[in-house]
């Protein structure tokens, strides 16, 4: 039973089994979750950000456990493991005012940082036991968040 749960979590409800672009689809799933949270709480920014931050922390914790287990089955940072993209995408949108524009920009920034891994993001991949899988996307999410915060100030 625990094995199935880890596989479901690590693959973000099976999205990791999509043959091409599973990371992007995982990030899109996270955006769908953000829309769902916003639709549930409306313009209550405190509740919205509290839920998003909680999802990120819980996702990081359970994602690390799932990634550590599934790495043994599927290989190191296998494309089937996309819970890291979900968590990174949530982080990229924490404390960002909800709008469709911000959602799309957050997705774009996150995917750019996740794919190209500038600013030493790649170094996080070295951590063992599922942490490397998760932490590089956490770093990409943080960079995306900062970039989006700056962009919001400029626009």
């Amino acid at each position: 039973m625990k094995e199935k749960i880890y596989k479901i979590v690590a693959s973000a409800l099976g999205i990791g089994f999509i043959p091409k672009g599973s990371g992007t689809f995982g990030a899109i799933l996270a955006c769908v979750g953000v829309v769902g949270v916003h639709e549930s709480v409306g313009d209550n920014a405190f509740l919205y950000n509290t839920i998003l931050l909680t999802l990120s922390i819980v996702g990081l914790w359970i994602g690390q456990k799932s990634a550590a287990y599934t790495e043994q089955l599927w290989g190191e940072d296998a494309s089937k493991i996309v819970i890291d993209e979900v968590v990174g995408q949530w982080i990229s949108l924490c404390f960002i005012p909800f709008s469709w524009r911000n959602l799309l920009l957050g997705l774009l920034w996150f995917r750019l940082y996740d794919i190209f891994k500038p600013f030493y993001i790649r170094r996080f991949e070295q951590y063992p036991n599922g942490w490397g899988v998760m932490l590089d996307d956490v770093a990409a999410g943080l960079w995306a968040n900062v970039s989006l915060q700056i962009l919001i100030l400029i626009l």
Side-chain angles (χ1 to χ4, degrees):
M1 180 65 166
K2 188 159 83 169
E3 291 177 6
K4 284 185 180 180
I5 292 171
Y6 281 155
K7 288 178 184 177
I8 290 168
V9 169
S11 68
L13 305 174
I15 284 178
F17 292 98
I18 295 172
K20 300 255 187 216
S22 59
T24 299
F25 285 111
I28 291 169
L29 174 67
C31 289
V32 170
V34 168
V35 171
V37 169
H38 181 262
E39 290 297 316
S40 298
V41 301
D43 291 329
N44 185 333
F46 175 78
L47 192 53
Y48 167 77
N49 286 306
T50 300
I51 292 170
L52 249 150
L53 187 59
T54 303
L55 286 172
S56 298
I57 292 168
V58 170
L60 176 61
W61 177 75
I62 195 160
Q64 180 275 324
K65 300 258 185 231
S66 299
Y69 175 80
T70 54
E71 271 191 317
Q72 295 172 2
L73 296 174
W74 299 333
E76 190 173 314
D77 204 4
S79 62
K80 293 177 188 172
I81 303 172
V82 294
I83 187 62
D84 51 331
E85 275 82 11
V86 173
V87 171
Q89 183 64 58
W90 281 333
I91 290 170
S92 76
L93 295 167
C94 281
F95 307 106
I96 300 291
F98 180 84
S99 74
W100 291 102
R101 181 193 75 170
N102 289 347
L103 188 73
L104 181 59
L105 288 172
L107 176 64
L108 292 173
W109 277 117
F110 172 70
R111 290 307 293 151
L112 284 172
Y113 285 119
D114 185 32
I115 291 166
F116 296 109
K117 300 189 187 314
F119 308 115
Y120 302 103
I121 292 171
R122 190 167 307 282
R123 288 189 180 183
F124 288 102
E125 293 177 326
Q126 301 170 5
Y127 288 87
N129 301 321
W131 281 109
V133 173
M134 297 301 295
L135 292 178
D136 71 315
D137 289 272
V138 167
L142 289 170
W143 275 107
N145 187 289
V146 168
S147 298
L148 187 52
Q149 296 278 4
I150 292 168
L151 193 62
I152 289 168
L153 285 174
I154 292 171
L155 300 177

